[in-house]
């Protein structure tokens, strides 16, 4: 940024002004297929910020439930088990990672079985509370700042985010992105 202060004689002399921000939280929200992930990764990379895919965390806990024989059609069973897995999210926008109990879950969480069951698991209040707390702690710990993408990020998870963006797209564009 260039600031142009007034000199004592009324003339302007340009000087470079550097603005610094200790940490910034950017929340990117919107329905599926609007480009949240690609936009969030690009913004985080361009600004040198961390990146968090919150949907991957819900998929990770769902994968853990399936892998450990938890009946994902039983909200009480899901609630009881929700505190057991250790979920860790890597926040490098060029290579985000997700592990569960130390195992790389980045591939398995994208499988059809998980996709079909993630909504039921994420609807359980104990799961939402646990994952929301995890997301908030990751955002708070991001030294330079973070771009967090997912559903309800700017309204529920990080309502005090410095910048909130809600992406939209036409039904045709969303369908094309999902195919």
């Amino acid at each position: 940024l260039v600031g142009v202060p007034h000199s004592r004689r009324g003339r302007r002399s340009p000087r470079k002004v550097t603005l610094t921000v200790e940490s910034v939280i950017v929340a990117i929200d919107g329905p599926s297929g609007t480009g949240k992930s690609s936009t969030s990764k690009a913004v985080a990379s361009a600004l040198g910020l961390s990146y968090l895919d919150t949907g991957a965390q819900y998929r990770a806990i769902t994968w853990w439930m399936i892998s450990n024989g938890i009946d994902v059609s039983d909200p009480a069973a899901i609630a009881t088990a929700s505190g057991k897995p250790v979920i860790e999210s890597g926040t490098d926008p060029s290579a985000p990672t997700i592990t569960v109990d130390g195992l790389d879950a980045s591939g398995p969480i994208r499988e059809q079985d998980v996709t079909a069951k993630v909504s039921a698991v994420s609807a359980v209040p104990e799961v939402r509370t646990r994952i929301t707390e995890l997301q908030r702690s990751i955002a708070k710990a991001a030294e330079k700042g973070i771009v967090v993408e997912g559903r309800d990020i700017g309204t529920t998870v990080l309502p005090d985010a410095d910048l909130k963006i809600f992406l939209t797209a036409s039904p045709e564009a969303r369908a094309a992105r999902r195919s």
Side-chain angles (χ1 to χ4, degrees):
L1 296 176
V2 175
V4 185
H6 290 282
S7 70
R8 291 181 191 203
R9 295 185 202 163
R11 289 187 242 148
R12 294 176 171 230
S13 57
R15 75 173 179 183
K16 188 171 185 170
V17 176
T18 304
L19 297 178
T20 59
V21 177
E22 284 189 29
S23 181
V24 62
I25 296 176
V26 179
I28 300 185
D29 203 334
S32 62
T34 57
K36 291 186 304 289
S37 294
S38 52
T39 300
S40 297
K41 287 179 195 175
V43 169
S45 291
L47 298 178
L49 303 176
S50 296
Y51 161 76
L52 179 60
D53 173 0
T54 62
Q57 294 173 320
Y58 285 104
R59 288 174 166 276
I61 198 166
T62 301
W63 174 70
W64 183 90
M65 299 269 177
I66 294 166
S67 299
N68 285 276
I70 307 300
D71 181 358
V72 295
S73 65
D74 179 358
I78 294 169
T80 299
S82 66
K84 294 180 182 177
V86 176
I87 299 170
E88 295 181 7
S89 297
T91 58
D92 179 347
S94 63
T97 59
I98 185 100
T99 63
V100 182
D101 293 341
L103 300 173
D104 178 7
S106 57
I109 66 169
R110 304 293 175 191
E111 292 175 1
Q112 184 54 41
D113 192 33
V114 172
T115 299
K117 297 174 180 172
V118 68
S119 291
V121 172
S122 65
V124 175
E126 290 82 355
V127 170
R128 292 202 80 73
T129 298
R130 165 113 193 275
I131 299 298
T132 297
E133 288 170 359
L134 177 61
Q135 293 162 356
R136 288 177 179 155
S137 70
I138 292 169
K140 185 176 182 179
E143 290 181 21
K144 294 181 180 178
I146 192 165
V147 178
V148 182
E149 63 103 344
R151 307 255 179 94
D152 304 324
I153 299 304
T155 55
T156 303
V157 179
L158 299 168
D160 296 327
D162 299 294
L163 176 63
K164 299 177 189 181
I165 299 168
F166 190 87
L167 295 180
T168 60
S170 69
E172 297 80 17
R174 292 177 62 206
R177 291 184 64 83
R178 287 286 154 215
S179 63

